[in-house]
Amino acid sequence: MSLTVVGTMAFDEIETPFGKSGKIIGGSATYIAWAASNFVQPINQVSVIGEDFPASELDALTAKGVVLDGVQVKKGEKSFYWSGKYHMDMNTRDSLATELNVLADFQPVIPESYQGSEFLILGNLTPQVQMSVLDQLKERPKLIVMDTMNFWMEVALDDLLKVLKRVDVLMVNDGEARQLSGEYSLVKAARKIMSMGPRYLIIKKGEHGALLFSGNHVFFAPAMPLDDVYDPTGAGDTFAGGFIGHLAKTKDISFENMKTAIIVGSAMASFCVEKFGTERIREITHEDIAARLEQFVQLVNFDIDLV
């Protein structure tokens, strides 16, 4: 049931209308690993960090079944750092600082012990890095999930399109889907993007849930209405971790099971936003997850008499 996660492990500094986080741990691979580890272990982590990354954070991940053989530690260098400020709607944000540091020349190396991993998720990194990971695999995983963003569509589109041909599932938000496809209708956008390679497309719509497309099939999962949304940072990656974690646990990559995985991902994301950074998803139990999933079932369950 092994899962390989490729992405960033970083420092974030976040300001929202509810407060300031100070310097905390973030990064796509960090959020994905914390979420997915509730469903599947081991998780083979591939990332790069500086000497400043706390050993206690690495120990905490190890305790959750995350293998760190593929995490490079650059002596005398600093980890990736991002600072941002969210507006009142919590959907828009301004980046205040981005310091690539060790990420600037990251060359991932897939350890021999990671070979044969059945599931792979490529977090939001340069398409060249994502391609490098795929090229190093001796055996194609059962399922390859990929995240990307508008920036790579603007500066590395050709490379991005090459990676798309080699993955099974693409995750983007609605704005990125429209940008990549040139279509405003998300249904048309999905059809066009799937023609580029991925068999499945997930379009994340933040507080408005997520859409899953495959062929002519469409499934919509809502987001949980919450009293408090403190910090949306990492919610998309936590969603991805829940999604791939469920699929790796069940080893079922049918459209029907992906519908369940979308709900699991949405449930995990709903925890993430309740506190700053990874704080909330680090403390949740299996009982918490089961209760939240039951809330999702109730949210969308209804009886109707057809006229």
Side-chain angles (χ1 to χ4, degrees):
M1 292 198 302
S2 59
L3 164 64
T4 295
V5 175
V6 185
T8 55
M9 297 171 69
F11 288 112
D12 289 340
E13 202 158 343
I14 300 150
E15 183 179 344
T16 77
F18 299 99
K20 297 180 180 180
S21 69
K23 200 172 183 181
I24 56 174
I25 297 299
S28 59
T30 308
Y31 283 103
I32 293 170
W34 274 111
S37 62
N38 289 285
F39 307 96
V40 61
Q41 293 178 3
I43 289 172
N44 300 323
Q45 194 89 325
V46 178
S47 191
V48 61
I49 55 176
E51 203 172 11
D52 55 350
F53 203 86
S56 59
E57 293 292 333
L58 300 176
D59 292 341
L61 285 167
T62 301
K64 284 288 282 186
V66 181
V67 179
L68 303 175
D69 296 356
V71 178
Q72 302 170 25
V73 183
K74 297 290 184 73
K75 299 294 183 186
E77 295 188 47
K78 290 183 176 181
S79 303
F80 176 55
Y81 168 83
W82 176 81
S83 172
K85 181 177 181 178
Y86 286 88
H87 297 206
M88 185 55 78
D89 65 0
M90 298 295 263
N91 285 323
T92 51
R93 69 185 186 189
D94 299 321
S95 289
L96 303 179
T98 303
E99 298 171 10
L100 291 176
N101 297 324
V102 293
L103 202 61
D105 55 359
F106 177 39
Q107 301 292 330
V109 177
I110 305 300
E112 189 60 37
S113 58
Y114 288 14
Q115 295 291 349
S117 191
E118 293 175 279
F119 293 83
L120 169 67
I121 182 161
L122 299 168
N124 179 21
L125 289 163
T126 72
Q128 294 94 326
V129 167
Q130 293 173 326
M131 184 68 84
S132 169
V133 171
L134 295 176
D135 287 342
Q136 290 179 58
L137 300 178
K138 297 174 184 176
E139 187 181 329
R140 192 189 193 280
K142 186 174 182 178
L143 190 78
I144 301 172
V145 179
M146 169 191 174
D147 191 9
T148 192
M149 68 183 297
N150 54 351
F151 181 73
W152 306 124
M153 296 172 196
E154 292 160 13
V155 304
L157 183 59
D158 288 346
D159 289 326
L160 178 60
L161 293 174
K162 289 174 187 172
V163 182
L164 282 179
K165 287 184 171 66
R166 298 178 61 179
V167 304
D168 302 301
V169 184
L170 174 66
M171 292 186 173
V172 287
N173 65 31
D174 45 359
E176 290 158 351
R178 289 182 171 117
Q179 181 175 341
L180 183 58
S181 65
E183 298 283 355
Y184 182 79
S185 159
L186 292 180
V187 175
K188 287 182 178 177
R191 202 173 294 133
K192 195 162 179 181
I193 291 169
M194 286 187 289
S195 74
M196 298 173 186
R199 290 181 293 144
Y200 303 92
L201 173 68
I202 294 170
I203 298 180
K204 300 173 288 186
K205 292 172 64 64
E207 64 177 328
H208 304 298
L211 289 157
L212 169 67
F213 294 89
S214 178
N216 293 319
H217 301 289
V218 186
F219 175 70
F220 172 72
M224 177 62 65
L226 298 167
D227 285 347
D228 297 309
V229 176
Y230 273 89
D231 175 20
T233 312
D237 296 312
T238 305
F239 170 93
F243 174 82
I244 191 91
H246 173 79
L247 294 178
K249 177 185 176 182
T250 57
K251 293 193 176 187
D252 177 357
I253 57 172
S254 66
F255 184 78
E256 285 303 308
N257 195 44
M258 281 200 186
K259 286 157 65 170
T260 304
I262 287 268
I263 297 294
V264 173
S266 297
M268 298 307 293
S270 74
F271 285 118
C272 179
V273 301
E274 292 179 330
K275 291 187 178 180
F276 278 113
T278 59
E279 184 181 355
R280 183 71 178 108
I281 56 172
R282 293 168 73 130
E283 64 188 19
I284 56 173
T285 64
H286 287 288
E287 290 74 22
D288 292 330
I289 296 169
R292 186 61 57 91
L293 285 171
E294 181 58 32
Q295 285 181 274
F296 265 90
V297 171
Q298 297 304 319
L299 189 66
V300 297
N301 190 34
F302 62 90
D303 294 313
I304 187 169
D305 292 322
L306 295 175
V307 176

